[in-house]
Amino acid sequence: MSDIKRVVLAFSGGLDTSVILKWLQQTYACEVVTFTADLGQGEELGPARAKAELMGVKPEHIFIDDLKEEFVKDYVYPMMRANALYEGLYLLGTSIARPLIAKRQIEIAKMVGADAVSHGATGKGNDQVRFELGYYGLNPDIKVIAPWREWDLTSRTRLIEFAEAHQIPVSKDKRGEAPFSTDANLLHTSSEGKVLEDPWQEVPDYVFSRTVNPEDAPDTPEYITVEFDAGDAVAINGEAFSPANLLAKLNDYGRTHGIGRLDLVENRFVGMKSRGMYETPGGTILHTAHRAIEQLTLDRGAAHLKDELGPRYAELVYNGFWFSPEREMLQAAIDHSQQQVSGTVRLKLYKGSAWVVGRKSPNSLYSEKVVTFEDDAGAYDQRDAEGFIKLNALRLRLLGRRGA
Amino acid sequence: MSDIKRVVLAFSGGLDTSVILKWLQQTYACEVVTFTADLGQGEELGPARAKAELMGVKPEHIFIDDLKEEFVKDYVYPMMRANALYEGLYLLGTSIARPLIAKRQIEIAKMVGADAVSHGATGKGNDQVRFELGYYGLNPDIKVIAPWREWDLTSRTRLIEFAEAHQIPVSKDKRGEAPFSTDANLLHTSSEGKVLEDPWQEVPDYVFSRTVNPEDAPDTPEYITVEFDAGDAVAINGEAFSPANLLAKLNDYGRTHGIGRLDLVENRFVGMKSRGMYETPGGTILHTAHRAIEQLTLDRGAAHLKDELGPRYAELVYNGFWFSPEREMLQAAIDHSQQQVSGTVRLKLYKGSAWVVGRKSPNSLYSEKVVTFEDDAGAYDQRDAEGFIKLNALRLRLLGRRGA
Amino acid sequence: MSDIKRVVLAFSGGLDTSVILKWLQQTYACEVVTFTADLGQGEELGPARAKAELMGVKPEHIFIDDLKEEFVKDYVYPMMRANALYEGLYLLGTSIARPLIAKRQIEIAKMVGADAVSHGATGKGNDQVRFELGYYGLNPDIKVIAPWREWDLTSRTRLIEFAEAHQIPVSKDKRGEAPFSTDANLLHTSSEGKVLEDPWQEVPDYVFSRTVNPEDAPDTPEYITVEFDAGDAVAINGEAFSPANLLAKLNDYGRTHGIGRLDLVENRFVGMKSRGMYETPGGTILHTAHRAIEQLTLDRGAAHLKDELGPRYAELVYNGFWFSPEREMLQAAIDHSQQQVSGTVRLKLYKGSAWVVGRKSPNSLYSEKVVTFEDDAGAYDQRDAEGFIKLNALRLRLLGRRGA
Amino acid sequence: MSDIKRVVLAFSGGLDTSVILKWLQQTYACEVVTFTADLGQGEELGPARAKAELMGVKPEHIFIDDLKEEFVKDYVYPMMRANALYEGLYLLGTSIARPLIAKRQIEIAKMVGADAVSHGATGKGNDQVRFELGYYGLNPDIKVIAPWREWDLTSRTRLIEFAEAHQIPVSKDKRGEAPFSTDANLLHTSSEGKVLEDPWQEVPDYVFSRTVNPEDAPDTPEYITVEFDAGDAVAINGEAFSPANLLAKLNDYGRTHGIGRLDLVENRFVGMKSRGMYETPGGTILHTAHRAIEQLTLDRGAAHLKDELGPRYAELVYNGFWFSPEREMLQAAIDHSQQQVSGTVRLKLYKGSAWVVGRKSPNSLYSEKVVTFEDDAGAYDQRDAEGFIKLNALRLRLLGRRGA
């Protein structure tokens, strides 16, 4: 334990990572470097700096970075190109943020000459895996400190006692335990634990923070358009936005109309089932719109291959294998397919849902001339279908003859 | 052409198949046997019998069968166990009905000694493939007549002229062309063609027949429970129903709340893109509920394997390969996984959506004791996570060392 | 450590497990029950009983079971139906034996009221995983003792010292360390470690024990036939054998002709690469013959689905997930496909290889009448191919038009 | 039929395509442009020019191209990177040549202003599909003439009569029908039909043309090394070769040692089974060596993903979808994995087989330090395995508890 000299801690500024900061200083007698990422979680980051300083972190060792654009451009967007849904439903809002935090911690460790990194994820969850697979993949020799797996602060009472004993400010509402645990970034907010732990009980309304209850959403639908270029959303209603700004704008629409709530019982990588409540307002609209523009511009062979690879891709992201050769291979295949995925999707937002009502593209593969019920002027020869069916049926007929 | 003696026609009683009936009698100088299936399409079948008689079909050669229970039990339910979605979204309402019709036609052909079968599907669509792969798979020596690929009645005007010339009644509203084409059964109604052919234009409201517009749905949510046994829905709100009655009941709920509308541009098996509007009210609720009960009762390994096989399964059903060894192999795998998929799902129906709000099961694999944020009394040793992560990371570290 | 009362040890009778036996008695002060399986490894099992008795194991706690038939029938054969090859080449001879041993240990534990099980696999290999996933899957509450991960006997010298200090007989040739490590059963012998650890060096000839060097094999080929029924081999050269006897017989043929050697660098589940030398004489012939009979009797759709699922199946067996829902799901699919896989394969054995030279089956789907270059009397209409190609090409043409 | 002005024919100079040349001139009254590709089939191409001239093709319309390097570099090598095996065994020697011929025909058609292309493949085989999917994909508006599906020369007698009636020279040995049909290029020679049509009969020795009978191969093994750079073979025994020259050199080795014979019953895309005899001498060595260098240099995640995608890739190549988005997507993924696949493989060639006996690489991921049975100086902590196993087992234990 004693050979750690300097550690880079993923530091939110909240109670838990403040306690960890102090505990690291005490337990390892080492210098702690804090890293606080702005991923659009919607909290002020100033207090994080103040807290770190108060606890003796050198000013030059306090890193507070706005990573919102990198987050959306290099993590959320590639994942959206894949239409990734974990277990058919979950848009992976927590999973996708972890590799970026891990990457930045490793970069800072190199800059400041740290020999270790640390995080505040518990020993039961997926996030510890995602952080640490990122760390090890990017720096195979880094040391990792996971306080929740090491220390004896195994209840909230003891955590608060430790905080008080070390002059770590504990806000009033933290003294009573929070009724659930959350994680937030520009893509989503997740809530889990405590009041959510019985999967038969409906989630109470106060859990939601990013979306209005659909019942309280406007009684009139709102229509928007989302424009794509090579698989990525670039504009809303004709106005161009950067990736992070575009997602923020879609979050506004989603919040207003109560879009993107998901009550899920999922399978964690560590082997247990858990129940979470996710709010992904803008991401849900984005996912829906991306599928719609692909419908028009993606060839069937490419589309079906993507659909078959999708669950694997989502599993890799969920399990923390973002920086793995196999995720990169899948990404290479997916990105190859997106070159012509450009055009505009029109959506109707209403009471919890985003419905596609139209799509158009200069790269459309849809041919009204071919598909029409009307006279198609020879664009398609219906007699071709006979041979097509006959040869597709041949093996089934040979099977049938054997059976007879 | 002349060697057909007796043909079994899939006969709806509508204008098109009436014309086909007459055309077969004329062109092939053969006896026509009609088969009309009640799949819950919601039309009276009495007129079909009257029409067939009027056109000279012998009473003993008029088959009108209620297949609703067989349809839901042996086709819809197995497909629902697979969570099948074609191209990520479509619940396959038309595709799944075709194999049953084909099977019944082949059975009737055997009973009446017919040497051929015939259907009213056009040469551009998927249904011709689905019918004929079914025919050939079940009777490799059957002859197939597909009038739309053979005759010269290539416009509606000519079709109506033919009808009038042969005393086939043409209802008033058929004289002006229908603004779109539909298919219906207990699972869904599809609409395509004509006014729907521009995928940028929103579908006009008069196209919908099975669901109210979400905007017109009740302003108050409704809660229901759906109970599953071994993967199949068996009760609603505690009341047991047969498969067909259960689906009909869910259709009522779905209709009322505007659930299950889908505007889709899809890839047909014959190689073109088409745009369809689907209404699958009860099926959408069923699909949603089935996923939810699986969340609680299905092991991760089984669940992820199912998710990876799902797109392939859906493609097989869509393309017409229901009676194929590979669909049956996938079904064997899927059915094996469903033995413990029993329990109750609670859903909130509101303004176009069905949200899962709770699920419970005697077979639940969810363990509050293991997952809890609280003290778990040793149910899970957090230190195990370190070794788990270390060995999962080992190959990534070896990769990282090579890169360095 | 002190709460173990009775432990069932997988006991080979060799030096390592003898030391483990003693170490368990000392360390846990518990009663040890030994289980020795005859899986066809070709060693006398009498000495194992004598040794166990000598070390104080009660006679009624010494279990020596001939599992050869169960091994081949319920483990090797199902795996052969899957054509499973790990990393494209390895026939999984070690992997497939572990679940059976684990299952029997758990059964014995129940019979004798033991609360723990133990094995002699090291902490770097796959076998520990395979044993323990088996244990936990079959009895979630069993305690597992893995001495190699616990004790301080970390070198062979210390192991031998321990043995001598406890009157455990050490055969002369064990004093010098063995130049490599082996595992054997009726399906294969594996060798790894030490002289094999440099993957550039050719494996020395003295490593091989189950096959002659191909250069020393007969100069004249030998022909045999293998007969299958529903996917399983049942006879050789027309003579029926039980599964274990059939495999033994094929092993004789394979040994004589030097068939089934494999020099492999593989990826272990625990994250490292290792180099192994495998000899699978009879299994190689069986695998080759099974593919050949499938060629004739399996439909293309089934065959291709099997080929796509094969790598996953092999990975599950290799990683130790035999008793998992997903392996069972895949098995259900595979077994469904094998009902008609019956017939006879003729092979030529010569100098290290088994070549298929003929196959026939009453269930053959091969139709000389259809495939012939000669006049086929209408069995196949070549004009059907035009439509088949045209519709398969349609999407590519639409793509081409977009590109133009 | 009359609107074809100029057609580019894939012309081998043999009897069949000579008859087609004349038949096209007569039937379509059009100008025929001949294209003869040197793909390493081992025939003189001079006679093809003479024959074309004799039949009135303008000198500037006779194209004879040496495509050997392009063939190996851009078609064979990418496919080898994928380890593609159709139905587990076939190295796709015929399939992979067709897209290149199609591509060149379309290029020539553009150069000479032709409106159609033609080939000599029959209506029962796969080659028609491969040619025509290539044509249509590269020029959606091209017209395709497939004489074997159109004409009435349905027996060899009639073909020869037609030839004689039109002064097409018929070599003596063509008058008696050939006992089987062949296709050859630098990668392989295939033989099928007639004497091969009974899959139970051993293929007579005179069918083989590219390899000696293993029984006649040298009695002494020969060792060679093959060196790879980024997935592609670049040198043999330390001597660098261009792709085509390297494959030719390996063919020499393979021929001498009787390597690469395959007797296969396969499933054609058009729905029937056929039996073929393939000789792929150099390709078999290449495939074997490529897998071996991947063993050392490819991460497990990448390797297993490749193994799962392999059957699909092979199916696409076999079915003629080389120029399809999905083949290109898979290629992008595969190529991404090959960047570090460099190093040297040592093989032993003997009596029909190529055995890997060693491999080394500067990019090796194999770590003797980690894998060793000896003291590893802390490179791997065996206690990590416990946590790894425990968490992998957790879901199985929860399953077991439910079952109990």
Side-chain angles (χ1 to χ4, degrees), chain D residues 248-266:
Chain D
K249 185 81 181 163
L250 288 182
N251 279 335
D252 291 343
Y253 284 111
R255 165 191 289 277
T256 302
H257 292 284
I259 292 167
R261 293 182 170 193
L262 174 66
D263 173 344
L264 185 72
V265 173
E266 78 200 49

Side-chain angles (χ1 to χ4, degrees), chain C residues 122-195:
Chain C
T122 77
K124 279 190 175 177
N126 296 302
D127 284 332
Q128 58 177 339
V129 190
R130 296 166 187 153
F131 279 126
E132 298 179 28
L133 292 182
Y135 299 151
Y136 288 130
L138 296 168
N139 180 349
D141 299 313
I142 198 75
K143 293 196 185 87
V144 175
I145 306 174
W148 283 101
R149 299 198 305 253
E150 293 187 20
W151 68 23
D152 55 359
L153 304 178
T154 53
S155 74
R156 189 132 290 254
T157 309
R158 300 193 58 180
L159 195 81
I160 289 173
E161 284 169 9
F162 182 97
E164 290 176 336
H166 295 85
Q167 285 79 47
I168 297 170
V170 181
S171 64
K172 281 260 165 51
D173 62 341
K174 289 284 179 187
R175 288 174 196 273
E177 290 192 38
F180 55 93
S181 160
T182 64
D183 175 66
N185 59 47
L186 199 54
L187 182 55
H188 95 334
T189 295
S190 70
S191 308
E192 54 181 15
K194 298 177 187 167
V195 300

Side-chain angles (χ1 to χ4, degrees), chain A residues 349-363:
Chain A
L349 312 179
Y350 177 66
K351 294 280 189 189
S353 298
W355 279 281
V356 173
V357 298
R359 68 294 270 165
K360 65 179 176 183
S361 169
N363 303 336

Side-chain angles (χ1 to χ4, degrees), chain B residues 76-83 227-234 286 289-291 293-294 297 306 334-335 337-343 363:
Chain B
V76 174
Y77 270 24
M79 185 175 75
M80 285 284 161
R81 283 177 225 137
N83 299 327
E227 198 173 322
F228 288 87
D229 181 46
D232 294 333
V234 294
L286 199 52
H290 184 259
R291 270 220 169 262
I293 193 63
E294 283 196 338
T297 57
K306 280 193 74 203
I334 289 159
D335 289 355
S337 74
Q338 299 293 296
Q339 296 158 4
Q340 305 282 329
V341 179
S342 304
N363 303 337

Side-chain angles (χ1 to χ4, degrees), chain A residues 156-174:
Chain A
R156 190 133 290 255
T157 309
R158 299 193 57 180
L159 194 81
I160 289 172
E161 284 169 7
F162 181 97
E164 289 175 338
H166 295 86
Q167 286 76 49
I168 297 169
V170 181
S171 63
K172 282 262 166 49
D173 61 341
K174 290 284 178 184

Side-chain angles (χ1 to χ4, degrees), chain A residues 114-167:
Chain A
D115 45 356
V117 288
S118 183
H119 62 76
T122 76
K124 280 189 176 178
N126 297 301
D127 283 333
Q128 57 177 342
V129 190
R130 296 166 187 152
F131 278 127
E132 297 179 28
L133 292 183
Y135 298 152
Y136 288 129
L138 296 168
N139 180 350
D141 299 313
I142 199 74
K143 294 196 183 89
V144 174
I145 306 173
W148 283 100
R149 300 200 303 255
E150 294 187 18
W151 68 23
D152 55 358
L153 305 179
T154 51
S155 74
R156 190 133 290 255
T157 309
R158 299 193 57 180
L159 194 81
I160 289 172
E161 284 169 7
F162 181 97
E164 289 175 338
H166 295 86
Q167 286 76 49

Side-chain angles (χ1 to χ4, degrees), chain D residues 5-22:
Chain D
K5 293 204 179 58
R6 192 173 283 176
V7 59
V8 180
L9 170 66
F11 179 67
S12 73
L15 175 62
D16 290 20
T17 50
S18 296
V19 167
I20 289 174
L21 201 170
K22 177 61 68 180

Side-chain angles (χ1 to χ4, degrees), chain C residues 10-297:
Chain C
F11 180 66
S12 73
L15 176 62
D16 290 21
T17 50
S18 297
V19 168
I20 288 174
L21 200 169
K22 177 61 67 183
W23 181 88
L24 287 170
Q25 290 168 328
Q26 280 199 345
T27 311
Y28 285 89
C30 68
E31 200 169 22
V32 179
V33 177
T34 62
F35 163 57
T36 308
D38 183 357
L39 293 167
Q41 60 269 50
E43 285 172 7
E44 290 296 314
L45 300 185
R49 176 180 303 276
K51 259 191 169 170
E53 282 178 359
L54 193 71
M55 296 171 76
V57 180
K58 294 183 197 158
E60 69 269 28
H61 281 174
I62 299 175
F63 291 81
I64 298 185
D65 294 348
D66 180 349
L67 301 178
K68 293 197 294 293
E69 287 293 347
E70 184 177 2
F71 175 51
V72 180
K73 180 167 171 294
D74 294 343
Y75 295 78
V76 176
Y77 269 24
M79 184 176 77
M80 286 283 160
R81 281 177 226 137
N83 299 327
L85 290 175
Y86 183 64
E87 302 195 338
L89 294 166
Y90 172 38
L91 282 161
L92 294 160
T94 296
S95 326
I96 191 62
R98 300 319 190 189
L100 172 55
I101 296 171
K103 167 171 160 279
R104 190 72 189 126
Q105 273 182 277
I106 294 297
E107 286 167 357
I108 292 171
K110 190 171 181 195
M111 283 161 50
V112 303
D115 46 356
V117 287
S118 182
H119 61 78
T122 77
K124 279 190 175 177
N126 296 302
D127 284 332
Q128 58 177 339
V129 190
R130 296 166 187 153
F131 279 126
E132 298 179 28
L133 292 182
Y135 299 151
Y136 288 130
L138 296 168
N139 180 349
D141 299 313
I142 198 75
K143 293 196 185 87
V144 175
I145 306 174
W148 283 101
R149 299 198 305 253
E150 293 187 20
W151 68 23
D152 55 359
L153 304 178
T154 53
S155 74
R156 189 132 290 254
T157 309
R158 300 193 58 180
L159 195 81
I160 289 173
E161 284 169 9
F162 182 97
E164 290 176 336
H166 295 85
Q167 285 79 47
I168 297 170
V170 181
S171 64
K172 281 260 165 51
D173 62 341
K174 289 284 179 187
R175 288 174 196 273
E177 290 192 38
F180 55 93
S181 160
T182 64
D183 175 66
N185 59 47
L186 199 54
L187 182 55
H188 95 334
T189 295
S190 70
S191 308
E192 54 181 15
K194 298 177 187 167
V195 300
L196 304 180
E197 281 186 4
D198 177 354
W200 176 244
Q201 292 305 315
E202 189 169 0
V203 172
D205 205 56
Y206 62 77
V207 168
F208 298 95
S209 61
R210 293 281 286 268
T211 52
V212 306
N213 188 327
E215 296 161 54
D216 301 329
D219 290 327
T220 309
E222 185 169 14
Y223 286 83
I224 62 170
T225 61
V226 180
E227 197 172 323
F228 288 86
D229 182 48
D232 294 335
V234 293
I236 299 173
N237 293 337
E239 187 182 353
F241 290 97
S242 72
N245 289 335
L246 188 140
L247 183 52
K249 184 81 180 164
L250 288 182
N251 279 336
D252 292 342
Y253 284 111
R255 166 191 289 278
T256 303
H257 293 283
I259 292 167
R261 293 181 169 194
L262 174 67
D263 173 344
L264 185 71
V265 173
E266 76 200 51
N267 294 290
R268 287 192 188 154
F269 188 29
V270 293
M272 67 186 70
K273 286 183 185 289
S274 68
R275 194 250 198 122
M277 173 56 66
Y278 301 109
E279 296 172 86
T280 319
T284 299
I285 300 173
L286 200 52
H287 174 83
T288 304
H290 183 260
R291 269 219 170 263
I293 194 63
E294 284 195 340
Q295 287 167 16
L296 209 57
T297 57

